[in-house]
């Protein structure tokens, strides 16, 4: 029996604070695994596991350059999160407008 690889969605991928911090690092520039690992108090193996999840969610990609893998952020994948949050932004704007109306009427 062949086990199918788990595919993570964007929400699962950003659920972990370490992965969110990796994304922040990659937002400033592409980085090799050695540089990414330096920023965390966890093993390089643990960082690699986090990067694999981010790759499966298509938030990052890796390109082999010499002996290192260079990781690149794909920020367009974060649009899914922005779209989801937009609903709640509109929801709260509406609630605050209703509250303002109630306050001003009294």
């Amino acid at each position: 029996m062949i086990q199918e690889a788990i595919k993570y969605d964007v929400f699962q991928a950003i659920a972990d604070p370490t992965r969110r911090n990796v994304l922040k690092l990659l937002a400033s520039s592409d980085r090799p695994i050695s540089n990414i690992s330096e920023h965390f108090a966890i093993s390089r193996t643990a960082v690699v596991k986090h990067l694999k999840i981010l790759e499966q969610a298509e938030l990052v990609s890796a390109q082999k350059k010499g002996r290192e893998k260079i990781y690149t952020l794909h920020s367009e994948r974060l649009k899914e999160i922005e779209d989801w949050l937009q609903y709640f932004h509109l929801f709260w704007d509406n609630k605050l407008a209703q509250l303002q109306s109630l306050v001003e009427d009294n």
Side-chain angles (χ1 to χ4, degrees):
M1 183 163 104
I2 299 173
Q3 188 175 16
E4 196 173 310
I6 297 172
K7 175 115 170 142
Y8 291 90
D9 72 16
V10 174
F11 295 94
Q12 290 169 311
I14 66 161
D16 184 274
T18 300
R19 291 192 289 270
R20 291 192 303 267
N21 286 327
V22 168
L23 293 174
K24 283 182 186 176
L25 279 174
L26 292 174
S28 63
S29 66
D30 298 350
R31 296 172 186 262
I33 182 70
S34 58
N35 181 276
I36 296 168
S37 297
E38 291 172 358
H39 292 86
F40 299 95
I42 57 176
S43 70
R44 182 178 170 132
T45 303
V47 171
V48 168
K49 287 180 182 180
H50 285 295
L51 285 164
K52 284 185 191 283
I53 291 170
L54 292 170
E55 274 188 283
Q56 289 170 351
E58 300 174 350
L59 286 165
V60 302
S61 63
Q63 183 177 358
K64 193 104 167 134
K65 286 195 180 172
R67 295 177 5 178
E68 287 259 61
K69 274 188 172 180
I70 308 297
Y71 286 87
T72 302
L73 174 67
H74 295 287
S75 59
E76 65 278 357
R77 289 285 294 144
L78 296 170
K79 178 91 170 85
E80 185 177 343
I81 297 163
E82 182 184 1
D83 292 344
W84 184 78
L85 288 172
Q86 184 63 30
Y87 167 80
F88 294 99
H89 179 73
L90 294 172
F91 171 81
W92 283 111
D93 281 350
N94 187 24
K95 292 294 181 188
L96 291 172
Q98 289 175 357
L99 178 61
Q100 181 179 7
S101 178
L102 284 172
V103 169
E104 289 173 353
D105 288 347
N106 290 329

